């Protein structure tokens, strides 16, 4: 069976673009806006989120036969929190200066609705391997949007990319300070959501 | 001296009440949790369609942030720091918040049935509002906050969130009939408006230091 026809594969691909968690389902917006003014912070945040979505989906799915329905939310939150603690410890150990800036937002991965949403919508009904792919797809779909936003915000706002200045930036480049401040994040996300929605909708319109 | 006493002692000239007022105003306005920290966006985008529900949810958020900030501060000082298990804070905080929301729900249902029905689904939804957990996590990163400072920080953040969602609900009810590009409807236009409101709030940043 081809990858794109299997249950997990289909979910993986759908989460990447057509059902993208950020602009199609409007989930997990908080961190999307908060960590995207420097590309390095963004990449670390994405890595943490992909790790957490994939593994918590697997765990929730593996335990789905043994979890009573009434307490499943609490169980999911605890599973997610356990993985987030791992991410937090790892980041503190290897990237202490990044942790200082985005530390609280790493903790907030727990309440990132993408993870909870994938656990609830997919992992409670499917076996571990497709759930892993589904979580991975959602995490990567989220990362894709974050990286796009971060590239634009960092180049326009600081005139750098990955902390490296653009060639001869000081001679011709004037920094748009607004892009690294909160309003810039709101405007960028609105533009990306507009673009994404327009493309997805026009493609769907073409099919039917 | 324990951190509680150290921060509560009136060492600075302005005195505790003045300091608390500054923290309250700063948390609600210049350092607005939604507009400058981006917390609580999910429910903000979903709920701000109607004024009535926005106010209901906002009031519930104010109450829960204030109380959980106080509770989590005590947990931070007396349990996790003392035992050296700060890495377990994420789990403890979220459990405290979930338990507290459950408790509030039971109390409101028992003693104030009209309010319970007015709030409906929003009460349990508060558990996953990241503003609540965010307040607790930001609070412990601040230097020299004592019990009262933390509680007031929670109150101010909650009020700021209430202010933002009420503003947005008012604006959204006005633009309901307007012609908005197809792809920008719903979340998109709300984000643009939020950005414009944020511009106004960011203009005040730095006026209050705390």
């Amino acid at each position: 069976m081809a990858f794109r026809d299997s249950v997990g594969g289909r979910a993986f691909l759908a989460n990447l673009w057509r059902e993208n968690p950020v602009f199609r389902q409007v989930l997990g917006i908080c961190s999307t806006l908060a960590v995207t003014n420097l590309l390095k912070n963004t990449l670390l945040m994405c890595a943490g989120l992909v790790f957490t979505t994939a593994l918590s989906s697997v765990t929730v799915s593996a335990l789905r036969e043994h979890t009573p329905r009434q307490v499943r939310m609490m169980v999911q939150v605890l599973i997610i929190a356990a993985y987030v603690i791992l991410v937090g410890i790892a980041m503190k150990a290897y990237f202490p200066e990044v942790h200082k800036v985005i530390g609280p937002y790493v903790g907030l991965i727990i309440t990132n609705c993408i993870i909870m949403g994938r656990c609830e919508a997919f992992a409670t009904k499917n076996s571990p391997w497709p759930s892993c792919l589904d979580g991975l797809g959602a995490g990567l779909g989220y990362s894709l949007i974050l990286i796009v936003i971060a590239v634009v915000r960092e180049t326009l706002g600081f005139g750098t990319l990955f902390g490296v200045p653009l060639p001869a930036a000081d001679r011709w480049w004037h920094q748009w300070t607004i892009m690294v401040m909160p309003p810039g994040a709101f405007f960028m996300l609105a533009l990306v959501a507009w673009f994404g929605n327009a493309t997805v909708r026009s493609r769907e319109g073409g099919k039917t | 001296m324990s951190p509680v006493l150290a921060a509560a002692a009136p060492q600075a000239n302005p005195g505790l009440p003045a300091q608390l007022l500054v923290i309250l105003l700063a948390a609600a306005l210049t350092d607005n949790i939604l507009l400058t920290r981006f917390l609580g966006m999910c429910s903000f985008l979903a709920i701000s369609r109607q004024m009535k529900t926005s106010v209901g949810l906002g009031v519930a958020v104010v109450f829960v942030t204030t109380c959980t900030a106080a509770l989590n501060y005590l947990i931070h000082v007396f349990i996790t720091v003392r035992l050296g298990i700060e890495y377990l804070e994420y789990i403890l905080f979220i459990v405290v918040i979930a338990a507290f929301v459950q408790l509030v729900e039971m109390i409101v249902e028992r003693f104030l049935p009209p309010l319970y029905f007015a709030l409906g689904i929003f009460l349990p939804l508060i558990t996953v509002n990241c503003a609540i957990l965010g307040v607790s996590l930001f609070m412990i990163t601040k230097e020299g906050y004592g019990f009262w400072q933390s509680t007031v920080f929670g109150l101010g953040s909650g009020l700021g969130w209430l202010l933002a969602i009420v503003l947005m609900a008012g604006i959204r009810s006005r633009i309901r009939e307007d012609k908005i590009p197809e792809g920008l409807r719903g979340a998109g236009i709300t984000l643009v408006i939020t950005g414009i409101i944020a511009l106004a709030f960011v203009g005040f940043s730095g006026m209050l230091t705390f």
Side-chain angles (χ1 to χ4, degrees):
Chain A
M1 193 161 54
F3 177 72
R4 56 179 308 164
D5 294 326
S6 65
V7 181
R10 213 162 42 230
F12 177 84
L13 294 172
N15 282 336
L16 270 186
W17 184 257
R18 213 173 55 249
E19 290 300 324
N20 187 292
V22 177
F23 67 80
R24 291 295 289 173
Q25 308 173 23
V26 203
L27 296 177
I29 303 293
C30 318
S31 49
T32 310
L33 297 163
V35 300
T36 48
N37 57 9
L38 282 174
L39 196 52
K40 189 180 174 198
N41 298 356
T42 310
L43 284 182
L44 286 171
M45 183 74 187
C46 292
L49 191 114
V50 170
F51 173 83
T52 317
T53 30
L55 287 183
S56 52
S57 282
V58 171
T59 317
V60 167
S61 161
L63 293 176
R64 72 188 188 284
E65 308 284 335
H66 309 283
T67 321
R69 259 194 83 74
Q70 298 83 0
V71 296
R72 70 185 194 291
M73 291 295 210
M74 208 58 221
V75 172
Q76 288 169 8
V77 169
L78 288 179
I79 290 170
I80 296 168
Y83 284 118
V84 172
I85 287 176
L86 292 183
V87 172
I89 292 175
M91 193 175 279
K92 213 174 192 170
Y94 295 107
F95 301 96
E97 74 286 3
V98 176
H99 186 267
K100 223 171 265 162
V101 182
I102 64 169
Y105 292 102
V106 172
L108 287 169
I109 295 179
I110 298 174
T111 48
N112 191 316
C113 357
I114 295 176
I115 305 181
M116 195 82 165
R118 287 338 292 170
C119 288
E120 183 66 19
F122 197 90
T124 46
K125 301 184 193 80
N126 291 282
S127 49
W129 174 236
S131 303
C132 177
L133 284 176
D134 178 70
L136 212 55
L140 290 175
Y142 165 93
S143 308
L144 182 74
I145 304 299
L146 254 76
I147 290 168
V148 169
I149 296 180
V151 166
V152 175
R153 284 185 73 192
E154 191 179 340
T155 35
L156 292 184
F158 289 117
T160 61
L161 199 57
F162 253 116
V164 182
L166 296 176
D170 47 339
R171 252 178 289 154
W172 56 277
W173 184 249
H174 188 76
Q175 299 180 356
W176 301 17
T177 316
I178 188 76
M179 289 310 288
V180 292
M181 293 201 308
F186 287 116
F187 294 139
M188 262 315 290
L189 182 60
L191 285 179
V192 171
W194 188 3
F195 175 76
N197 278 334
T199 9
V200 171
R201 244 172 241 175
S202 71
R203 203 187 299 163
E204 275 169 4
K207 254 183 223 161
T208 48
Chain B
M1 207 190 294
S2 80
V4 185
L5 292 177
Q11 24 163 255
N13 279 337
L16 190 62
Q19 195 197 352
L20 292 183
L21 185 68
V22 171
I23 291 176
L24 181 73
L25 287 178
L29 298 175
T30 64
D31 217 11
N32 189 296
I33 191 149
L34 189 122
L35 297 169
T36 65
R37 299 274 176 83
F38 316 108
L39 297 181
M41 285 301 293
C42 305
S43 37
F44 175 78
L45 290 176
I47 307 296
S48 63
R49 257 179 227 117
Q50 286 170 346
M51 185 56 109
K52 208 177 138 200
T53 47
S54 307
V55 175
L57 184 68
V59 171
V61 165
V62 172
F63 182 66
V64 176
T65 34
T66 314
C67 299
T68 52
L71 278 173
N72 283 341
Y73 177 78
L74 294 177
I75 286 184
H76 173 68
V77 171
F78 290 109
I79 299 180
T80 54
V81 171
R82 191 153 295 180
L83 300 179
I85 49 168
E86 282 101 334
Y87 56 87
L88 281 182
E89 268 168 2
Y90 295 159
I91 283 194
L92 286 173
F93 285 1
I94 197 80
V95 169
V96 165
I97 291 170
F100 187 79
V101 171
Q102 193 76 57
L103 192 72
V104 170
E105 198 185 350
M106 284 176 347
I107 293 173
V108 172
E109 188 182 10
R110 176 78 181 74
F111 294 106
L112 294 165
L115 181 64
Y116 179 76
F117 286 111
L119 286 178
I121 182 75
F122 300 121
L123 214 46
L125 270 183
I126 291 178
T127 315
V128 289
N129 186 329
C130 42
I132 314 268
L133 183 61
V135 166
S136 294
L137 292 177
F138 277 113
M139 171 189 83
I140 57 169
T141 63
K142 299 228 179 225
E143 300 273 321
Y145 266 30
F147 176 72
W148 290 112
Q149 283 91 336
S150 303
T151 312
V152 168
F153 177 69
L155 175 66
S157 304
L159 286 175
W161 200 86
L162 171 67
L163 177 71
I165 196 169
V166 168
L167 271 176
M168 179 52 75
I171 296 175
R172 281 183 84 169
S173 69
R174 286 296 180 86
I175 62 165
R176 195 167 297 144
E177 303 296 321
D178 290 1
K179 282 185 192 144
I180 299 162
E182 184 74 29
L184 208 52
R185 286 213 183 125
I189 191 69
T190 313
L191 284 167
V192 173
I193 299 169
T194 317
I196 297 171
I197 302 178
L199 271 178
F201 276 74
V202 166
F204 289 111
S205 65
M207 275 177 73
L208 291 170
T209 47
F210 65 107

